[in-house]
């Protein structure tokens, strides 16, 4: 099918695809497919093309989106003894989950691991500091063109996932991108609809064809912070950690609707906290009182840093154990103050919102058999 070309928008193309798949009974569970990456009859057959790609054969780590049409793609990655990474749904609890089937898993078990329930039951989180390298990316699409232009369901998660992988060094401009769609989803897409944050695809797999797009349009170079809203920052904790890192690196991280902050004449700029250096009058890691976690007094720069209290640490816990858990959850602080003999630690975050997000993310965290107590440092002090 071809979209109507006069004044067409991305949403017009989405609606036409969804309507066509439903009216022609091409859609598969879950239905209706509107506002989804549509599952379709023949998706399993289309996915069978994936292991035949040279890019798949040489890849060791493959990221596949969690949607239904890519279930068989996830199975083939596991069956081939490759590392499978699946983004967490809507990025609520981090960026990736690594699927780890039980030892000696049969094909039936691997198929279960490839389902949405299996992703929940057989996965471990991968944090921003994991230094993972992704060799192949598989994404879902609502529409795609033979030139490699892609349209998703309109929420921007696939584009954001890719941009986050760029920011953490997990992919490069040579990393191939594959999509698996029904033949009716391959349509002409006007190039003027593409935006700088849109990812493109190198291979399109359908039940009847393998299309090498030869796309030369550059992929996004990282997160376009001006496209990120405050609401999205609240919903996706891992974005806060990435933003803090890029802010420390001196990048412009002005959000959508914000005005870039310019220092007033004669006013001293706040210096980003870096390894081995801390602002004047800020207690060092050796501080033993709660005052060490209270941040700078008002008026000494914005935003104020905020600390998170972590208590009930196991007596034999090491600081590396906590650091590893924080990396896996995507909640790496600016600074960690370890007070092992007192079975507690303090985590410093760039602002109170980031600290509150970390508290939410770390609830229920266990080290060994002990569940840790996590709270904002000032709340814990009040108690």
């Amino acid at each position: 099918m071809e979209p109507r070309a006069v004044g067409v928008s991305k949403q017009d193309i989405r609606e036409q695809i969804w309507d066509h798949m439903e009216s022609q009974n091409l859609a598969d569970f879950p239905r209706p497919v509107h506002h989804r990456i549509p599952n379709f009859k023949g998706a399993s057959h289309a996915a069978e093309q994936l292991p035949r790609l040279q890019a798949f054969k040489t890849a060791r780590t493959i990221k596949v989106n969690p949607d239904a049409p890519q279930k068989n793609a996830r199975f083939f990655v596991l069956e081939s003894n490759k590392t499978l990474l699946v983004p967490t749904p809507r990025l609520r609890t981090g960026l990736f989950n690594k699927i780890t089937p039980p030892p000696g898993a049969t094909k039936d078990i691997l198929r279960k691991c490839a389902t949405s329930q299996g992703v929940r039951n057989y996965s471990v989180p991968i944090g921003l500091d994991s230094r993972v390298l992704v060799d192949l990316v598989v994404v879902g699409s609502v529409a795609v063109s033979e030139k490699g232009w892609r349209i998703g369901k309109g929420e921007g998660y696939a584009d954001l996932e890719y941009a986050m992988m760029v920011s953490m060094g997990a992919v490069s401009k040579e990393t191939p991108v594959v999509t698996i769609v029904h033949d009716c989803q391959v349509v002409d897409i006007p190039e003027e609809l593409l935006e700088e944050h849109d990812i493109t695809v190198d291979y399109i797999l359908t039940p009847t064809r393998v299309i090498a797009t030869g796309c030369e349009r550059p992929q996004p170079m990282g997160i376009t912070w001006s496209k990120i809203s405050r609401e999205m920052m609240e919903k996706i904790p891992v974005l806060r950690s990435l933003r803090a890192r890029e802010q420390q690196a001196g990048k412009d991280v002005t959000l959508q609707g914000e005005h870039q902050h310019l220092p007033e004449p004669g006013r001293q700029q706040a210096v980003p906290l870096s390894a081995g250096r801390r602002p004047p009058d800020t207690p060092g890691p050796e501080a033993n009182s709660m005052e060490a976690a209270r941040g700078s007094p008002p008026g000494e720069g914005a935003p104020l840093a905020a600390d998170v209290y972590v208590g009930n640490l196991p007596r034999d816990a090491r600081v590396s154990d906590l650091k590893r858990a924080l990396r896996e959850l995507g909640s790496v602080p600016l600074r960690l103050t370890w007070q092992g003999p007192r079975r507690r630690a303090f985590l410093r975050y760039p602002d109170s919102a980031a600290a509150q997000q970390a508290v939410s993310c770390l609830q229920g965290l266990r080290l060994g058999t002990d569940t840790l107590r996590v709270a904002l440092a000032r709340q814990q002090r009040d108690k």
Side-chain angles (χ1 to χ4, degrees):
M1 61 168 291
E2 293 301 329
R4 296 181 293 273
V6 180
V8 71
S9 68
K10 285 183 178 180
Q11 190 59 26
D12 291 332
I13 296 174
R14 293 185 189 106
E15 295 291 345
Q16 291 173 43
I17 295 289
W18 289 326
D19 290 346
H20 179 79
M21 295 183 76
E22 285 291 347
S23 66
Q24 300 301 310
N25 201 29
L26 301 173
D28 208 344
F29 177 84
R31 297 179 71 172
V33 294
H34 293 78
H35 310 292
R36 304 179 190 272
I37 296 297
N39 197 11
F40 57 91
K41 294 172 182 176
S44 296
H45 183 53
E48 290 173 0
Q49 314 268 26
L50 181 64
R52 300 169 191 161
L53 293 179
Q54 185 62 29
F56 179 92
K57 294 176 182 178
T58 58
R60 292 179 293 178
T61 299
I62 301 177
K63 172 260 175 188
V64 185
N65 70 301
D67 297 298
Q70 281 70 52
K71 181 176 71 173
N72 251 30
R74 296 191 292 273
F75 165 71
F76 288 131
V77 174
L78 295 175
E79 186 187 40
S80 302
N81 292 317
K82 299 178 186 292
T83 298
L84 173 61
L85 301 180
V86 179
T88 59
R90 297 180 178 272
L91 304 175
R92 289 191 190 98
T93 57
L95 180 53
F96 293 133
N97 283 323
K98 177 183 176 182
I99 312 306
T100 53
T106 63
K107 280 193 176 183
D108 286 341
I109 294 296
L110 292 181
R111 289 190 185 279
K112 289 180 181 177
C113 292
T115 65
S116 56
Q117 184 63 44
V119 168
R120 289 191 290 269
N121 293 344
Y122 298 98
S123 66
V124 294
I126 299 294
L128 298 178
D129 294 326
S130 60
R131 301 186 186 280
V132 64
L133 293 177
V134 177
D135 303 306
L136 181 65
V137 175
V138 181
V139 298
S141 303
V142 174
V144 66
S145 79
E146 293 190 11
K147 293 181 178 180
W149 313 155
R150 172 192 173 274
I151 295 176
K153 61 186 175 184
E155 296 182 347
Y157 285 106
D159 299 321
L160 183 56
E161 288 160 9
Y162 187 91
M164 292 167 74
M165 288 191 290
V166 172
S167 293
M168 62 187 287
V171 295
S172 68
K173 60 183 180 180
E174 285 82 25
T175 307
V177 179
V178 178
T179 192
I180 301 173
V181 296
H182 191 276
D183 288 277
C184 75
Q185 294 173 259
V186 183
V187 298
D188 287 335
I189 298 174
E191 186 173 1
E192 57 266 24
L193 293 182
L194 300 187
E195 301 177 76
E196 62 178 349
H197 63 272
D198 288 333
I199 60 172
T200 57
V201 300
D202 301 291
Y203 298 96
I204 303 168
L205 311 184
T206 80
T208 65
R209 294 193 290 170
V210 174
I211 303 170
T213 67
C215 184
E216 296 183 357
R217 181 185 174 92
Q219 296 285 19
M221 298 302 293
I223 298 174
T224 305
W225 292 105
S226 61
K227 298 284 186 180
I228 305 296
S229 65
R230 277 286 177 189
E231 181 183 10
M232 188 174 288
M233 291 288 290
E234 293 296 330
K235 290 180 178 178
I236 305 176
V238 70
L239 270 179
R240 294 191 165 280
S241 299
L242 276 173
R243 188 180 185 224
R245 289 181 177 203
E246 298 206 352
Q247 190 172 31
Q248 282 185 307
K251 296 183 180 180
D252 181 8
V253 295
T254 306
L255 299 181
Q256 186 181 84
E258 285 186 342
H259 296 291
Q260 187 173 4
H261 175 72
L262 297 175
E264 298 175 10
R267 182 183 176 92
Q268 183 178 359
Q269 286 184 267
V271 180
L273 192 63
S274 58
R277 182 177 182 180
R278 58 180 185 267
D281 304 322
T282 301
E286 69 281 357
N288 286 326
S289 72
M290 291 296 299
E291 296 300 317
R294 294 184 62 182
S296 304
E300 289 191 5
L304 292 177
D307 286 6
V308 170
Y309 163 86
V310 179
N312 199 39
L313 291 167
R315 296 188 184 280
D316 59 348
R318 296 177 297 178
V319 66
S320 59
D321 298 330
L322 180 57
K323 287 181 176 179
R324 185 181 307 111
L326 293 171
R327 284 197 301 268
E328 290 175 348
L329 291 170
S331 291
V332 178
L334 299 176
R335 192 181 77 197
L336 188 157
T337 302
W338 179 258
Q339 297 178 3
R342 304 180 70 174
R343 302 184 62 190
R344 69 184 188 184
F346 295 101
L347 315 176
R348 172 150 294 184
Y349 290 92
D351 54 41
S352 59
Q356 183 61 64
Q357 198 68 56
V359 170
S360 300
C361 186
L362 300 178
Q363 290 301 321
L365 176 63
R366 298 170 69 94
L367 286 186
T369 59
D370 297 338
T371 300
L372 306 186
R373 289 195 298 270
V374 183
L376 292 175
R378 285 187 175 180
Q379 292 179 356
Q380 180 65 24
R381 179 171 179 261
D382 293 340
K383 292 179 184 178

